[in-house]
Amino acid sequence: MPTQPEIRWTDATKLTPAQADAILQLLARAFPNWPNLDPPVDPRDHFKWKVHDFPGGATLGVTEVESRVIGFAAILRRTWLVKGERVAVNDTVDLAVDPDWRGQGVYSRMFRFGEEHVDRNFDMSLAYVTKSQTVHVAKGRGYRSPGNPVRALIRARSVLSVARRARQGGSLVPVPFLALGALGHKVMNRTRYAFHRQQGPQCSIRTVDGFDARLDKLLQAARGEFDLMQERGAAYLNWRYACRAGGQFTIRLAESGEELLGYIVTRVSGEQGYIADLLALPSRRDVAESLLRDALARLDASADCDVSSWLPRLHPYAELFRRAGFVDPRRDSGAAYRPLRLGEDRLAFLSNRRARIHLMIGDSDHV
């Protein structure tokens, strides 16, 4: 077996049909049922949507041995806001190595090649290191978790479901004890908010097929509330949530007349529901809470499922999620960052446990 795989990088728009087919064959070997969406999506359509149609542009890393593709990574060029400034962020998705070549150092070679040839084009890197094959490599390359960690929250049908998810997230505590802890959290939340009565907001909520230009005012207001958040223009959000090839999402808007007050995006996949994204005007927490409760009521009516979401541990919406029945099973999302051109000093604020971060599961490739 050859020991020197060849790595090359190419722009996603320059990929030939034959090259795309070879990559899709690798992804099928590395990740059974990829892209594993419910309802199903043709892998070719999903691949084109993800890497060819991505608004920020994508660079593809392909590792070959004797013309056989044994490794692949897609680097999406996302735009994030760091204290209001637009920065280029490296987000590597679908990092795959052929099962026959795992344990041969291919992951490490791809990381090193990316550092030498790709990282210089980015201000920082974000990763969601949950797979055992990449956690060690990512930490060794300087990724670190923010001081305000992004938690994987759950609103479960039962406390046992919470316990099992915590166990899957790496907890060594026996499931019965985790279940007791989850029950304690649930009782505590019910007691804490027993007398909370939500005030009905002066707005209407409706389902739409996509976002329009009114989003700009909402995003401009949000820029001042968070020191780190992904830029959410209408073109990007429509690519992310309104294109069938990326999965089936439901977009709900909160409006007052012609004014957009907030939005929420949900998805159901099998027996799992997701709150993918939620954002409202900073002065309208009542709108954010109404959107969340409206979404959960619709999920409960359409599917008997657990509902998951990501949220930084300290966040303006954290209390809203607790009131709605979400608990924190101490399962980290794996969100981690690495300074590149931006430098350590510019990102030092992320080590603060009170860093103002807005990052939800829809900002990643995990839903």
Side-chain angles (χ1 to χ4, degrees):
M1 180 178 290
T3 57
Q4 294 298 321
E6 178 186 358
I7 303 175
R8 59 183 173 80
W9 294 89
T10 184
D11 187 282
T13 61
K14 299 178 181 178
L15 204 64
T16 68
Q19 291 170 330
D21 285 343
I23 293 169
L24 286 168
Q25 290 171 19
L26 167 67
L27 290 171
R29 293 195 300 273
F31 308 123
N33 302 318
W34 186 94
N36 198 26
L37 293 176
D38 181 22
V41 171
D42 187 299
R44 288 177 177 80
D45 292 340
H46 184 74
F47 187 75
K48 178 181 181 297
W49 165 82
K50 179 179 289 185
V51 303
H52 186 276
D53 299 342
F54 179 66
T59 302
L60 310 182
V62 181
T63 304
E64 295 178 319
V65 171
E66 298 177 352
S67 300
R68 177 188 176 187
V69 177
I70 66 162
F72 172 75
I75 296 180
L76 306 183
R77 188 181 185 88
R78 297 186 185 270
T79 300
W80 281 66
L81 300 172
V82 174
K83 293 186 177 293
E85 179 185 348
R86 301 174 79 246
V87 302
V89 173
N90 173 332
D91 182 10
T92 301
V93 302
D94 290 330
L95 179 58
V97 171
D98 191 299
D100 293 341
W101 279 84
R102 289 174 185 167
Q104 305 294 317
V106 177
Y107 277 117
S108 297
R109 288 171 62 88
M110 293 176 70
F111 267 90
R112 285 197 300 271
F113 195 90
E115 288 175 338
E116 296 169 3
H117 300 279
V118 180
D119 284 355
R120 60 182 176 225
N121 300 317
F122 291 91
D123 298 308
M124 64 180 291
S125 180
L126 281 176
Y128 307 93
V129 285
T130 55
K131 292 183 173 63
S132 59
Q133 305 99 312
T134 56
V135 169
H136 177 72
V137 175
K139 288 184 177 180
R141 298 295 171 192
Y143 284 90
R144 73 287 304 266
S145 299
N148 185 8
V150 181
R151 298 292 198 190
L153 307 180
I154 181 172
R155 179 180 178 267
R157 291 170 291 183
S158 70
V159 294
L160 280 176
S161 183
V162 178
R164 292 192 187 100
R165 287 178 178 275
R167 186 76 176 193
Q168 292 168 2
S171 176
L172 300 178
V173 180
V175 167
F177 290 100
L178 288 170
L180 283 174
L183 179 62
H185 276 288
K186 189 173 183 179
V187 171
M188 183 174 64
N189 279 350
R190 285 186 174 178
T191 302
R192 179 185 297 172
Y193 303 116
F195 299 103
H196 172 72
R197 295 292 180 268
Q198 181 190 1
Q199 299 297 315
Q202 300 300 309
C203 70
S204 59
I205 300 176
R206 67 186 177 104
T207 300
V208 297
D209 294 329
F211 295 88
D212 56 40
R214 294 177 302 159
L215 186 66
D216 292 343
K217 182 178 178 181
L218 171 61
L219 298 177
Q220 188 62 37
R223 290 169 72 114
E225 185 172 26
F226 300 106
D227 292 329
L228 178 70
M229 69 176 295
Q230 185 164 190
E231 188 173 58
R232 287 160 155 75
Y236 170 77
L237 289 183
N238 286 332
W239 167 85
R240 184 65 179 93
Y241 299 123
C243 183
R244 177 67 181 81
Q248 187 167 309
F249 293 89
T250 298
I251 304 168
R252 300 273 285 171
L253 302 184
E255 301 165 311
S256 178
E258 293 298 315
E259 183 182 11
L260 177 63
L261 304 179
Y263 71 84
I264 193 166
V265 182
T266 61
R267 182 182 165 219
V268 176
S269 178
E271 296 183 352
Q272 181 63 57
Y274 297 94
I275 302 296
D277 201 357
L278 170 62
L279 192 65
L281 290 171
S283 61
R284 299 301 303 268
R285 295 288 181 260
D286 60 326
V287 170
E289 184 168 13
S290 291
L291 282 165
L292 180 59
R293 291 188 178 277
D294 170 82
L296 292 172
R298 291 172 63 85
L299 287 170
D300 289 343
S302 63
D304 181 20
C305 61
D306 295 345
V307 182
S308 297
S309 191
W310 288 3
L311 202 67
R313 185 173 59 84
L314 295 178
H315 189 279
Y317 301 162
E319 187 172 11
L320 308 184
F321 274 76
R322 287 194 293 267
R323 287 176 190 166
F326 283 84
V327 298
D328 178 1
R330 301 295 187 226
R331 183 180 180 186
D332 201 296
S333 66
Y337 70 96
R338 182 163 64 103
L340 296 174
R341 293 185 311 197
L342 210 54
E344 297 276 355
D345 292 345
R346 298 282 299 281
L347 295 178
F349 72 94
L350 288 176
S351 63
N352 190 315
R353 62 183 297 270
R354 295 188 176 278
R356 301 190 306 165
I357 300 171
H358 184 66
L359 194 163
M360 302 194 72
I361 193 169
D363 290 315
S364 75
D365 188 47
H366 284 231
V367 64

